[in-house]
Amino acid sequence: MKPLMTVLTARDWRGMEHIPQTGGVILAFNHMSHADPFTSAHYVYDAGRWPQFLAKESVFRVPVVGKILIWCRQTPVSRGTVDAARALDAAITAVRGGDCVVIYPEGTTTREPDLWPMRGKTGVARLALATGAPVIPIGQFGAERLFDPRTKKLRIWRTRSAVYAGPAVDLSKWAGADPTAAVLNEMTDEIMNHIRVLVGEIRGATPPPLYTPAARNSAAAQKPAGAAQ
């Protein structure tokens, strides 16, 4: 994909020095378009690491594409099933083995109307607690010009792709903590807030608070007090 992305995008990339060249690391990106895995992968590859994504399992069933993803050492996730936990186990093994795992904490493209980051799910926090690996926050914007999830319009021409990485998120406050719902949510918000600031820097605007989709608010309201996430 790199030659194609080189043609399709004009790159504004910053912060690659924050990505360790060796050792296990977790790269946490915001997700605003179905095109941004390509810009994310391009950025990580040019930063000197091999990007290993957690991607929804249905993509792996697409002819040819699925085989390429497996060959490229990507990890399928069956969301909402016991297999999602197995995918996290695979990610833990990869990070402990010194690999670079890319994760979208939001779990899907943002539902925020203006494509700002939304509140993340707790997989990234679980991965960080289990491995102790650094979590590098990375904000991106521009891929929505290639494919806008709001209008479903695909535009194939050269467009600005901005990707900014920041220093590792300081999660020392939670080192060795039990993975309770409160701990995981606090860690996830901390990571997403760092990403939010980077997206604001890219867009030259003050980012709004992390967006919480109405459906998630409704589910939280119906969940018994103290229930596991």
Side-chain angles (χ1 to χ4, degrees):
M1 294 300 297
K2 178 177 175 177
L4 179 61
M5 296 309 297
T6 300
V7 171
L8 293 180
T9 60
R11 291 161 300 289
D12 176 13
W13 289 352
R14 306 182 193 180
M16 285 182 174
E17 68 275 10
H18 298 302
I19 299 177
Q21 291 299 293
T22 59
V25 63
I26 303 161
L27 306 185
F29 283 80
N30 64 305
H31 191 17
M32 94 297 290
S33 166
H34 293 88
D36 67 48
F38 301 111
T39 55
S40 303
H42 190 185
Y43 177 87
V44 176
Y45 183 78
D46 276 17
R49 298 301 299 260
W50 183 262
Q52 292 182 242
F53 286 79
L54 302 183
K56 60 182 181 180
E57 187 270 341
S58 59
V59 179
F60 288 76
R61 295 198 298 267
V62 177
V64 181
V65 173
K67 289 186 177 180
I68 291 174
L69 291 174
I70 293 295
W71 175 64
C72 290
R73 293 190 293 144
Q74 308 308 304
T75 302
V77 178
S78 299
R79 291 182 292 192
T81 72
V82 69
D83 288 332
R86 295 195 188 104
L88 185 61
D89 289 341
I92 290 171
T93 299
V95 172
R96 286 177 175 169
D99 289 336
C100 172
V101 170
V102 177
I103 189 167
Y104 290 120
E106 294 156 294
T108 187
T109 52
T110 182
R111 300 296 185 251
E112 204 279 336
D114 200 28
L115 302 182
W116 287 98
M118 65 179 181
R119 196 171 301 279
K121 297 182 180 179
T122 58
V124 65
R126 293 178 188 275
L127 185 56
L129 270 182
T131 63
V135 178
I136 309 300
I138 306 180
Q140 61 177 330
F141 206 69
E144 79 289 346
R145 298 187 186 99
L146 292 173
F147 178 78
D148 193 322
R150 298 163 298 184
T151 63
K152 309 302 181 185
K153 289 184 178 179
L154 182 67
R155 294 181 291 181
I156 305 298
W157 62 68
R158 194 169 179 82
T159 187
R160 175 177 179 253
S161 167
V163 186
Y164 293 5
V169 180
D170 183 3
L171 300 174
S172 58
K173 172 182 175 181
W174 297 280
D178 292 329
T180 63
V183 165
L184 294 171
N185 284 319
E186 288 173 5
M187 291 178 67
T188 303
D189 282 352
E190 183 73 9
I191 293 165
M192 288 304 305
N193 277 321
H194 277 72
I195 296 171
R196 179 177 66 97
V197 169
L198 291 165
V199 175
E201 184 179 345
I202 292 171
R203 298 179 66 169
T206 301
L210 291 173
Y211 179 77
T212 302
R216 198 175 299 180
N217 273 332
S218 176
Q222 296 174 14
K223 188 182 290 294
Q229 296 295 309

